Amino acid sequence: MTVSRRQFNVLLGASTATVTLGLPNVARAAAPHVVVIGGGSGGATAARYIAKGSKGAIDVTLVEPSKQYYTCFFSNLYLGGLRDYASIGHSYDKLASSYGVNVIHEWASGVDRDKREVILGSGARVPYDKLIVAPGIDFKYDSVPGYSATASGKMPHAWKSGTQVQLLKAQVEAMREGGTFVMVPPPNPFRCPPGPYERISMIAHILKQKNPTAKIIVLDPKEKFSKQALFMEGWENHYPGMVEWIPTSISGGVKNVNVESMEIEADLDTFKADAASVVPAQKAGAIAAAAGLTNDTGWCPIKPETMQSAMDDNVYVLGDASIAAAMPKSGFSANSQAKVCANAVRGALTGSKVFPARFANTCWSTIAPGDGVKVGARYKPGEGKIAATEKFISQTGESAEVRKETYEESFGWYDGITADIFG
Ligand SMILES: Cc1cc2nc3c(=O)[nH]c(=O)nc-3n(C[C@H](O)[C@H](O)[C@H](O)COP(=O)(O)OP(=O)(O)OC[C@H]3O[C@@H](n4cnc5c(N)ncnc54)[C@H](O)[C@@H]3O)c2cc1C
């Protein structure tokens, strides 16, 4: 297989580094070479920090199919009409032009760990000294009977960045007067524990303005959820009578979804939806399993000191795909893990100082405009896994001023973290 002229030009054009390209494959470079699979919160941060920190001593290649990354974080605010879609899109231009990262817009289809090569969709191979795998999540579609990738065109999961969230917004806005929106959140563990409940809040916010007699039914496979008391208090304050949360012990669990009739059948009742969002159970992005980095949970075990894969010292796994124990699967977590990983990779390849791993996370959620809540913690390596050291959470009954401050803080966080990820 050969590297296409387009990839060849992308590699040459984007790089200020010294990757030597040859045919049929990308030749092993003179400087140590790091390949990153996945240009999301984890992968793009790692690529930027390694390229920036090593000042040309390490060649960095990022393999990511999309040219524009739309953040899942703040996609709920887009749903609620508080952000426009363009404002949650980010390009890879600065990673290439300001930091010399070679960006290849292709899928990685496999990893040959013995030869230390990433196999691209085109068949070209990219050699690495260290590989960082940050592909986010994939879905276990059959965890919800009747649901499938095709069904997500009618009942969007909208749980990956991209156009699904636009579809969901259009469907909610087109609901008949007094109609029903049904949300089926995922079981644990999943990307962004408070995300489904922020989504419900933002959909309630649109409905309150445009369709105030509409109802939201939440058929949760769980018995409790993140920031539950805060969300429930918020729903009662802002959207009284609109949201009905039904845990599995009451509904008996979802037995089938029918996207043609828009019916969601639970053990004890069938719910007819005018619009619905079904988010199935999750696992690490498929390439992680293809590379042999997952265990029987479907996620990737890691060493907490470095984010190295427990399966291979030359491979690091970041973000949602990793088993980060106490850390939730969030953009903030992935970004924090990427910095620990970048420091360890630079140390391994150039001998630069490696600092002890320290991680942080905060998840902000908007319940209504001006009413934000948060939960967060600091972390460090514990016995074989990442462990929390300090935790904090917003309290029920907080003043409107505190909630407004928290809400505004989240906007500052979004600007800061996206600049930290994409440059
Ligand atoms: C509704 C919602 C709200 C959220 N809100 C927040 C929030 O407020 N705060 C927060 O911190 N987090 C939030 N999150 C979670 C956050 O979006 C994820 O945890 C985060 O994006 C994980 O980063 P990642 O790098 O692991 O994966 P991603 O950011 O998903 O990046 C993975 C990348 O890998 C690429 N990829 C996958 N497979 C391959 C392959 N084979 N070859 C090449 N590339 C590949 C994908 O195209 C993608 O760009 C939210 C999520 C959702 C769904």
Side-chain angles (χ1 to χ4, degrees), residues 38 40-42 64-65 69 72-73 108 135-136 159 191-192 320 330-332 413:
S41 314
E64 161 61 50
Y69 174 89
C72 285
F73 33 105
W159 219 247
R191 153 178 289 183
C192 194
D320 291 355
S330 77
F332 195 138
W413 167 77

Side-chain angles (χ1 to χ4, degrees), residues 370-388:
D371 187 354
V373 291
K374 63 183 172 183
V375 61
R378 294 187 176 280
Y379 308 84
K380 65 180 189 181
E383 282 168 22
K385 55 185 186 181
I386 299 176

Side-chain angles (χ1 to χ4, degrees), residues 335-418:
N335 168 265
S336 176
Q337 293 158 8
K339 294 177 197 175
V340 167
C341 163
N343 189 239
V345 167
R346 284 182 46 225
L349 294 177
T350 66
S352 64
K353 184 168 168 55
V354 178
F355 297 95
R358 294 290 179 271
F359 306 90
N361 177 64
T362 302
C363 287
W364 285 267
S365 302
T366 295
I367 298 178
D371 187 354
V373 291
K374 63 183 172 183
V375 61
R378 294 187 176 280
Y379 308 84
K380 65 180 189 181
E383 282 168 22
K385 55 185 186 181
I386 299 176
T389 52
E390 321 153 23
K391 299 181 185 177
F392 57 88
I393 184 164
S394 298
Q395 300 299 304
T396 52
E398 279 172 339
S399 68
E401 289 72 35
V402 169
R403 290 300 179 83
K404 188 153 185 288
E405 244 171 58
T406 307
Y407 173 72
E408 282 165 0
E409 218 173 82
S410 71
F411 286 81
W413 167 77
Y414 186 90
D415 292 343
I417 196 165
T418 50

